[in-house]
Amino acid sequence: QVQLVESGGGLVQAGGSLRLSCAASRRTLSNFHMGWFRQAPGKEREFVAAISRVGSADHADSVKGRFTISRDNAKNTVYLQMSSLKPEDTAVYYCAADQSLFFTTAPSRYDYWGQGTQVVVSS
């Protein structure tokens, strides 16, 4: 089992930037595909970005060009750099780990989840 802890959320004005971090313990993150997902009030949890074990990345269309996922296996940490933030980016952001063979962006396929970190973007 892997324990994931997100940090870096907060309140930011539209157009601003934040960097979310996801630190893992108990297991080595290099063994997992990693993803960031978000859930706004009254909405379904949605895919934001994911990165495979070997570093291939995918981003949702809504964040392409603004968000970037990265991983530092030496630090056992995954990051989500967010820039040009919009009010519609307001949500709880979750880090997740997938131990399966194939890389996927489907949240149902992810095995372990962090507790989430709140991001609020004011207009």
Side-chain angles (χ1 to χ4, degrees):
Q1 186 172 353
V2 61
Q3 188 172 27
L4 303 172
V5 179
E6 302 97 334
S7 61
L11 173 64
V12 63
Q13 287 188 335
S17 299
L18 283 174
R19 187 177 80 157
L20 305 183
S21 299
C22 173
S25 60
R26 301 183 183 175
R27 295 278 298 274
T28 302
L29 268 190
S30 60
N31 295 325
F32 298 87
H33 306 304
M34 299 299 298
W36 284 98
F37 300 83
R38 67 187 181 187
Q39 188 166 17
K43 294 188 176 182
E44 297 284 323
R45 188 169 298 188
E46 65 174 1
F47 164 72
V48 176
I51 188 165
S52 73
R53 291 187 186 90
V54 297
S56 298
D58 194 5
H59 298 79
D61 288 342
S62 60
V63 307
K64 278 181 181 176
R66 300 188 299 121
F67 292 10
T68 302
I69 189 171
S70 62
R71 65 191 303 161
D72 186 338
N73 290 336
K75 295 183 178 180
N76 228 28
T77 302
V78 176
Y79 303 98
L80 184 68
Q81 178 66 48
M82 307 186 295
S83 59
S84 301
L85 282 160
K86 304 175 181 180
E88 52 263 44
D89 295 318
T90 295
V92 177
Y93 283 71
Y94 298 90
C95 171
D98 173 17
Q99 62 186 355
S100 65
L101 180 62
F102 299 105
F103 182 46
T104 179
T105 61
S108 60
R109 295 294 302 276
Y110 281 72
D111 304 293
Y112 305 104
W113 292 81
Q115 81 290 348
T117 185
Q118 177 74 56
V119 172
V120 178
V121 184
S122 63
S123 57

